[in-house]
Amino acid sequence: MKKRVVVLGSTGSIGKQTLDVIRANPETLRVVGLASGSDVRTLAAQIAEFKPEAAYCVDGSVARHVGEGTRIFSGDDGITQLIWEVEADVTVVGTPGMVAARATMAALERGQDVALANKETLVMAGGLVMEAAAASGAAVLPTDSEHSAVWQCLHGENAAAIRRLILAASGGPFRTASDRELAAVTPAQALRHPTWSMGAKITVDSATLLNKGLEIIEAQWLFGLPLAKIDVVIHPQSIVHALVEFVDGAVKAQLSHPDMRLPIQHALSYPERLPTHWGGLDFARAPVLEFSEPDAVRFPCLALARQAAETGGTAPTVLCAADEVAVELFLEGSISFLDIPRLVGRALDAHTSTPVESLDHVLTVAAETRQWLMESALGFSVTPAEAGVQRGEEDGFRAPARGELSRE
Ligand code: MG
């Protein structure tokens, strides 16, 4: 029996790689639903190739390009409608940012497994997501490479025997950059990731290490572990994706080429493993695998994420929403690279966390954070060019401490 798969965000990086996996495994996997925000041309081509039962695009305009075999959904509730009306075994959530939360909840409430590549959903609403999964008996299948690695290390193990998880981080393109270089980083530089090919938002998050901070929170929920049991190690080669240390001191690691198709395929094929057409690792010619501690001073986003996780409640939502705004402002050239942690820190400082009540509550807090930051960011921002001159070339660059940030 083929597994019936819905792919949300099918025209994005995760979505396209998911379709690669399905294309390579026509005997076992079948696309029954596709959803894309606005890339109608690519979506139409995907519909023509995979002939899903249903597809979604925001304005429904893809209907003009497809035959009658595919039902088209559109509008604000369209993705949720698609999930409720199409029989599927697993929904791959590859939509970036916070838009995926409602769709994830709908799939879980319906009892469909979710391969969750979107981390914001778990970071903001991890408690709700895991509760919904437990209530319906659906599984949240880890699809982030590090979490897939942990999951793979835990197959056949007892979770009570975990001493700690160690998530690997490449360190991003600025792992060895000086303070002065960090202050002058351009969007183009931040978008050049050394080992992984990903969407723009997550690539910038990898450069600030905020991505790894989100992954710590994600791991808390997926594996039900306290923050203190989740560590991060810098590993520039991106061959080891995560390690699990057990109470007896034994450590298991998952190694593979940095290719998202493997974690996606594992989530879709679990509990089986399917062959891939790309090769394994050549240990005889393997480069040295290096590990080091993350630099908490130059990359404050990691500590900000831990702070948000420790606070809990709505604080991780503010972390996500503030970062989304900060990355947008950075990519459009309105703020510097080092302003990203400053904006995120300011938003966290200004927020009083409350327990998460519902998805609506979380999304309201996210929207309020966005609005607050957009309004206050103008008086706060410096351009990358100014950053280089004012911070780097005058009296020596000094990273601003969080307490130095003024508040409206
Ligand atoms: Mg990851």
Side-chain angles (χ1 to χ4, degrees):
M1 263 261 288
K2 291 184 190 181
K3 251 187 206 174
R4 296 165 58 88
V5 186
V6 169
V7 185
L8 305 184
S10 65
T11 58
S13 169
I14 292 290
K16 285 178 179 167
Q17 294 181 85
T18 302
L19 293 179
D20 263 353
V21 167
I22 296 172
R23 195 179 281 122
N25 295 283
E27 306 299 315
T28 46
L29 301 170
R30 179 178 163 213
V31 177
V32 292
L34 292 170
S36 165
S38 53
D39 185 353
V40 172
R41 183 188 293 249
T42 306
L43 180 63
Q46 291 174 343
I47 294 171
E49 180 184 354
F50 291 97
K51 302 183 176 54
E53 293 167 14
Y56 167 92
C57 78
V58 173
D59 60 4
S61 60
V62 77
R64 286 202 300 271
H65 307 283
V66 300
E68 288 188 349
T70 303
R71 251 181 99 184
I72 303 299
F73 292 84
S74 62
D76 285 348
D77 297 328
I79 293 184
T80 314
Q81 277 171 9
L82 183 153
I83 285 169
W84 279 103
E85 292 185 29
V86 175
E87 281 301 329
D89 297 301
V90 55
T91 297
V92 178
V93 180
T95 8
M98 293 176 285
V99 295
R102 277 190 205 285
T104 301
M105 291 297 281
L108 290 173
E109 281 164 10
R110 220 207 137 163
Q112 284 172 7
D113 292 349
V114 170
L116 193 53
N118 169 288
K119 51 197 76 180
E120 285 85 352
T121 300
L122 271 182
V123 171
M124 297 191 313
L128 300 173
V129 167
M130 299 317 281
E131 270 169 36
S136 73
V140 181
L141 305 165
T143 312
D144 209 344
S145 61
E146 296 78 2
H147 304 79
S148 175
V150 169
W151 185 37
Q152 292 178 56
C153 290
L154 290 176
H155 293 338
E157 299 285 354
N158 182 349
I162 300 170
R163 186 184 280 163
R164 63 178 176 137
L165 309 182
I166 307 162
L167 307 177
S170 71
F174 313 123
R175 182 173 53 89
T176 57
S178 67
D179 289 344
R180 176 183 288 226
E181 286 163 344
L182 281 180
V185 162
T186 65
Q189 289 170 327
L191 289 174
R192 226 173 284 137
H193 195 276
T195 50
W196 288 99
S197 167
M198 305 175 289
K201 161 76 166 51
I202 186 171
T203 303
V204 175
D205 282 347
S206 296
T208 61
L209 290 195
L210 191 104
N211 181 57
K212 209 52 54 179
L214 299 179
E215 290 180 358
I216 292 174
I217 304 175
E218 208 183 344
Q220 272 193 295
W221 291 113
L222 283 172
F223 304 108
L225 290 172
L227 206 51
K229 285 193 174 187
I230 306 167
D231 282 345
V232 169
V233 70
I234 300 292
H235 169 51
Q237 291 80 20
S238 297
I239 296 293
V240 174
H241 304 298
L243 308 96
V244 178
E245 184 181 300
F246 295 92
V247 287
D248 58 2
V251 176
K252 283 167 90 173
Q254 189 264 345
L255 289 73
S256 63
H257 293 297
D259 188 323
M260 276 308 291
R261 289 175 298 180
L262 180 56
I264 292 167
Q265 175 167 306
H266 191 69
L268 294 181
S269 69
Y270 179 79
E272 309 294 330
R273 282 190 186 270
L274 296 172
T276 57
H277 60 79
W278 60 88
L281 298 165
D282 182 352
F283 284 97
R285 291 184 205 178
V288 174
L289 301 179
E290 298 167 282
F291 300 92
S292 61
E293 204 168 345
D295 185 334
V297 177
R298 286 187 310 133
F299 297 98
C301 281
L302 204 50
L304 289 171
R306 276 198 187 272
Q307 177 197 327
E310 264 161 33
T311 307
T314 48
T317 297
V318 171
L319 177 84
C320 276
D323 177 58
E324 218 172 63
V325 173
V327 171
E328 279 167 27
L329 291 172
F330 168 69
L331 287 176
E332 69 182 38
S334 300
I335 65 169
S336 78
F337 185 72
L338 290 172
D339 287 331
I340 297 172
R342 296 171 73 196
L343 275 184
V344 172
R346 190 163 72 148
L348 282 174
D349 282 348
H351 180 69
T352 306
S353 173
T354 58
V356 169
E357 291 159 17
S358 63
L359 198 54
D360 282 338
H361 175 211
V362 159
L363 295 174
T364 302
V365 171
E368 285 168 358
T369 304
R370 273 194 77 86
Q371 194 181 358
W372 180 80
L373 268 180
M374 282 298 202
E375 283 166 6
S376 64
L378 285 176
F380 164 82
S381 64
V382 287
T383 66
E386 285 167 346
V389 174
Q390 291 175 357
R391 297 182 190 166
E393 288 158 23
E394 281 178 3
D395 52 359
F397 172 69
R398 178 177 64 90
R402 295 205 24 242
E404 288 178 62
L405 299 170
S406 64
R407 284 205 226 140
E408 273 88 61

